[in-house]
Amino acid sequence: MSLTDNQKFLAMLEGEFSRYLSEHPAVGERLPAPALLVFQVAGEPAFNAWHKELSLKHRAAAQPVVEIHVNRFRTDSLIDQLELVPA
């Protein structure tokens, strides 16, 4: 199975978000369990629509949804700034 560009981008985002949480544990403490995380990246409207549609399709009943708005990346590819947005 070959991964699409969106799937590759999502895999990178998930890894970087995990690294971000390890550096900013207070952010992780604000996530409700078991939250459905929907990544929304500045300047990536096609990816954002794809990921939101895919995520919500697999949402469990009454599962809290949190959008992860990635506003920019560090030069070393780590997320530099984001915000959690209850959806």
Side-chain angles (χ1 to χ4, degrees):
M1 176 175 118
S2 178
L3 296 177
T4 67
D5 289 341
N6 281 341
Q7 289 169 322
K8 291 175 187 175
F9 189 56
L10 177 59
M12 182 277 299
L13 281 173
E14 290 171 336
E16 295 301 333
F17 184 63
S18 178
R19 290 174 67 180
Y20 184 89
L21 290 179
S22 71
E23 294 178 2
H24 303 87
V27 173
E29 292 170 4
R30 293 178 34 219
L31 291 171
L36 174 70
L37 305 180
V38 179
F39 288 99
Q40 300 290 279
V41 181
E44 298 292 340
F47 170 82
N48 295 343
W50 171 83
H51 191 244
K52 190 170 201 169
E53 180 181 343
L54 178 70
S55 298
L56 295 177
K57 188 183 300 186
H58 298 298
R59 179 183 182 203
Q63 183 178 20
V65 177
V66 177
E67 290 185 357
I68 307 299
H69 287 213
V70 179
N71 300 319
R72 67 177 181 253
F73 292 90
R74 292 187 206 173
T75 56
D76 55 0
S77 296
L78 294 176
I79 297 170
D80 184 41
Q81 181 184 38
L82 60 78
E83 63 184 286
L84 303 179
V85 180

